[in-house]
Amino acid sequence: MGVRESVLPAPTTRRGLLRWGALLGGGALLTACGDGDEQVVAPGAVQERPEEITDPDQALELLRQGNARFTAAREQHTAHTVRRRLQVARGQHPFAIVLACADSRVPPELVFDQGLGDLFVVRTAGQVIAPPVLGSIQYGVEHLHVPLLVVLGHEGCGAVGATLEAVETGAASSGTAIDSLVEAIRPAVERARAAADEEHVLAEAVRANVADEVAALSADPLLAEAVRAGRLRVVGATYDLDDGAVLFS
Ligand SMILES: [Zn+2]
């Protein structure tokens, strides 16, 4: 395992992780949370981190910190540099797979303030899983050794909303491939309708859909083996369109 551009060891303690996070640009946020001696990186400084991250919890912490920067409008944008582009041209070591909705308002790289080579992103409407989607995720785990898989749903999802409408109206199939989305999301919508009132049913369906997708991925033999071996963690999350916050479940 090498490092991207300098010799910055991976942290082994929470304190180390926080300091490491500060070097990644979260210093001011972390300081605000009470870690008084963390470093604060000057705006525009190029931060470093290990080239390959294998610890699922470390990867999740990077996403949390990136989303905190995004919501606070303190993005780094450091991973879009020419130097970074030339680095990743030699090979990729993304630290998280993100299965996200295709919705234009939820681009994972922006939401988590990450750049070239950081995230292995698979997107379909409603994050619906089909064989090529699962194959892409399996590739990321088995061949790229990505330690974290995030299923990212979001507030006001159109695919979930359309499924809710189809269920409520009993609409006939459209005869298009959109039907495949509706059928995939339908179980979550039906559970949500039984559990939530009209005002909250869409939000509940979004959460239920993410839960179903996490369960389906966790049941995949290849992914389940990676989880058992400690090489992978699978988590669900939802994104708030208004404040930009990602809530991990
Ligand atoms: Zn959506």
Side-chain angles (χ1 to χ4, degrees), residues 14-164:
R14 180 174 179 274
R15 167 73 53 175
L17 181 61
L18 289 169
R19 180 167 293 107
W20 193 56
L23 288 169
L24 292 168
L29 291 169
L30 291 166
T31 299
C33 290
D35 268 280
D37 67 342
E38 306 305 339
Q39 299 179 44
V40 178
V41 176
V46 175
Q47 289 87 45
E48 320 291 351
R49 68 174 171 232
E51 183 177 355
E52 191 170 353
I53 292 167
T54 57
D55 179 357
D57 294 338
Q58 206 171 59
L60 184 57
E61 183 60 25
L62 285 173
L63 292 186
R64 288 187 192 279
Q65 291 177 5
N67 183 243
R69 291 193 301 273
F70 175 71
T71 57
R74 297 178 58 89
E75 296 95 329
Q76 293 179 162
H77 304 299
T78 51
H80 307 294
T81 60
V82 172
R83 184 165 66 163
R84 177 70 177 141
R85 191 176 72 224
L86 294 174
Q87 274 182 336
V88 295
R90 298 194 294 267
Q92 61 170 327
H93 301 285
F95 67 83
I97 299 167
V98 183
L99 172 59
C101 183
D103 192 296
S104 63
R105 301 165 294 179
V106 195
E109 287 88 348
L110 297 183
V111 165
F112 291 117
D113 188 29
Q114 301 300 322
L116 295 173
D118 290 329
L119 303 181
F120 190 82
V121 176
V122 185
R123 299 179 70 174
T124 61
Q127 322 79 248
V128 165
I129 302 164
V133 171
L134 178 59
S136 300
I137 292 170
Q138 289 178 339
Y139 177 84
V141 171
E142 282 301 293
H143 297 280
L144 300 179
H145 311 298
V146 182
L148 178 66
L149 167 57
V150 178
V151 178
L152 181 63
H154 67 97
E155 176 190 15
C157 181
V160 176
T163 303
L164 180 59

